Amino acid sequence: MNIKGCEIKVIQGDITDLKVDAIVNAANNKLVMGGGVAGAIKKKGGKVIEDEALKKGPIEIGQAIATQAGNLAAKYVIHAATMGLDFKTDETKIRDSSYNALRVADELNLNSIAFPALGCGVGGFPYLASAKIMAQEVLKYLRQQKVNLKEIIFCLYEQEAFEIFNKGVIAYLEYVTHKLEQGPFTTVDAIIEIPASPSGGNDGIVIIKRSNPPFGWALPGGFLDYGESLEDAVSREMKEETGLEVTELKQFHTYSQANRDPRFHTIATVFIAKAKGTPKPGDDAADLKVMKLSELDKFSFAFDHKNIIQDYIRSKKG
């Protein structure tokens, strides 16, 4: 399968035979190449690989370094430390070493990399769990970084391990990228309490007139960006759409009805907030008003925002 121009494959075979830019060694943090995948790499590629690795070690568990590949068909060996010499590993160690192996490959401007099943040899970690952890880290890395990698291979020697990884990597990534990306999508909105008249009092809220479909008046808000918290997202959106810096953020309610947004299924978390600054419409807003709550019926609202404001009014009345 393909993610952002990078082909993800699961194959059965001997990783030491692969003609790729780099193969990954499931290493210990001392970088001593004993048995398992490390021993096979050393046997076929030569002791020069271990000699160079030892000069660069030891490294922290979860980190990775690159060495030459000796007599192997690959150009580099990336040593990803999944454990110490106690041979103990866990989810965090596998997760970090997977991510850092990709980072090293990217720093070397490599186009292809092949992984074994990290943590599953002497580490005794379950194959399916390792497959899903490594798949998650690949997906996260490809989404977060601008990468040169065009091919990521998971190479398993045994038939059973191959079948488990094929399900744990490919089937899992297909589910995440194809089904979950259909939504629902996470959004945030804010009820910004602001005086609607010089006399003061929290008798008004900020509303914007949408310049994009669906048209109508709405609470200011927008979509959550990858890596953002709800609080960070609502602060950013309010600044972009109203020019206001929100304060005293408090979650009000979450709205998740499948038909609340005519475009697609969205789940909105609504905040109540105060604000600093002078409200002014941003690029995505055709207009902005501070609406008195008593004027609610005078406006035509997009989405379910009239119902949300009605819920807010009822909550104020107790």
Side-chain angles (χ1 to χ4, degrees):
M1 67 175 301
N2 192 287
I3 298 175
K4 293 187 70 174
C6 183
E7 190 69 24
I8 315 296
K9 298 178 181 177
V10 178
I11 64 172
Q12 184 179 2
D14 186 340
I15 195 170
T16 63
D17 291 334
L18 297 184
K19 192 174 182 179
V20 291
D21 287 344
I23 64 171
V24 177
N25 171 29
N28 57 71
N29 72 312
K30 300 295 184 182
L31 303 179
V32 176
M33 300 178 72
V37 174
I41 292 172
K42 178 181 173 180
K43 181 178 179 180
K44 186 170 290 188
K47 192 173 181 299
V48 293
I49 301 172
E50 183 182 46
D51 290 343
E52 184 180 349
L54 291 173
K55 290 178 182 178
K56 295 183 175 182
I59 60 175
E60 295 292 326
I61 297 174
Q63 294 300 308
I65 57 100
T67 66
Q68 63 173 297
N71 298 322
L72 298 176
K75 298 176 183 177
Y76 296 93
V77 175
I78 295 177
H79 304 262
T82 60
M83 63 189 73
L85 288 178
D86 59 1
F87 305 126
K88 293 180 180 179
T89 192
D90 55 37
E91 176 184 341
T92 300
K93 295 170 184 176
I94 294 171
R95 196 174 288 284
D96 290 347
S97 57
S98 299
Y99 190 91
N100 282 310
L102 293 167
R103 177 186 54 78
V104 170
D106 217 27
E107 289 173 353
L108 292 170
N109 294 317
L110 305 186
N111 290 320
S112 57
I113 185 173
F115 283 90
L118 296 183
C120 299
V122 294
F125 204 77
Y127 278 105
L128 185 57
S130 177
K132 289 187 176 181
I133 291 167
M134 295 175 73
Q136 290 164 4
E137 291 306 306
V138 164
L139 180 62
K140 179 171 71 175
Y141 193 86
L142 292 177
R143 284 184 163 179
Q144 289 182 346
Q145 310 293 336
K146 185 177 180 181
V147 301
N148 295 304
L149 285 167
K150 302 300 180 187
E151 185 178 49
I152 297 175
I153 298 171
F154 294 88
C155 183
L156 293 306
Y157 189 76
E158 301 289 346
Q159 176 70 25
E160 182 181 3
F162 162 73
E163 292 176 355
I164 293 172
F165 254 71
N166 197 45
K167 177 182 177 181
V169 173
I170 301 301
Y172 177 80
L173 288 177
E174 286 178 346
Y175 171 77
V176 172
T177 57
H178 296 158
K179 186 169 183 178
L180 295 188
E181 284 192 352
Q182 296 175 14
F185 301 99
T186 305
T187 66
V188 289
D189 297 299
I191 299 169
I192 301 176
E193 297 176 333
I194 197 165
S197 61
S199 60
N202 293 326
D203 57 345
I205 62 171
V206 176
I207 59 173
I208 61 165
K209 190 173 186 179
R210 289 177 54 82
S211 59
N212 296 309
F215 297 114
W217 289 90
L219 295 168
F223 289 92
L224 197 74
D225 287 342
Y226 189 85
E228 255 186 336
S229 68
L230 292 171
E231 290 77 12
D232 287 344
V234 75
S235 296
R236 172 182 55 77
E237 286 288 348
M238 296 311 105
K239 190 70 174 178
E240 292 173 358
E241 293 198 350
T242 70
L244 295 170
E245 180 182 344
V246 291
T247 63
E248 300 180 43
L249 273 175
K250 180 175 67 175
Q251 282 195 29
F252 173 57
H253 193 68
T254 296
Y255 295 82
S256 60
Q257 293 87 345
N259 62 351
R260 63 176 301 275
D261 187 328
R263 301 168 297 180
F264 25 63
H265 188 180
T266 59
I267 296 176
T269 297
V270 181
F271 288 80
I272 298 172
K274 300 292 192 296
K276 297 178 182 178
T278 302
K280 56 184 178 180
D283 292 340
D284 290 339
D287 197 3
L288 179 148
K289 290 185 180 296
V290 177
M291 180 194 76
K292 290 183 179 180
L293 296 177
S294 59
E295 297 176 335
L296 177 63
D297 290 333
K298 296 180 180 180
F299 296 86
S300 177
F301 283 88
F303 312 115
D304 56 351
H305 285 195
K306 183 175 182 179
N307 294 334
I308 293 173
I309 298 170
Q310 288 173 331
D311 288 345
Y312 164 71
I313 293 171
R314 281 191 288 268
S315 74
K316 286 175 68 68
K317 295 178 179 177

